[in-house]
Amino acid sequence: MKKYKCDVCGYVYDPEQGDPDNGVDLGTAWEDVPAGWICPLCGVGKDEFSEDE
């Protein structure tokens, strides 16, 4: 699964890790992360993330 990086702070969302502290289970693909989820470090929305290379 692809990782996605926050364009603002550099946080990387890794689907294998998820974000359980914020309601996203391990193994959750990026497209299945809820639209209202925000970056746990800087608080921006999913629209501020790009595919990590």
Side-chain angles (χ1 to χ4, degrees):
M1 285 192 266
K2 296 178 183 176
K3 297 178 183 179
Y4 287 80
K5 186 175 188 177
C6 179
D7 297 330
V8 176
C9 73
Y11 170 84
V12 175
Y13 175 77
D14 180 348
E16 291 182 13
Q17 301 295 316
D19 184 16
D21 292 340
N22 294 296
V24 180
D25 293 331
L26 294 121
T28 302
W30 180 248
E31 44 279 347
D32 296 328
V33 173
W37 178 83
I38 59 171
C39 177
L41 296 185
C42 71
V44 298
K46 284 180 67 177
D47 60 328
E48 296 290 333
F49 279 71
S50 301
E51 193 173 309
D52 193 31
E53 306 205 6

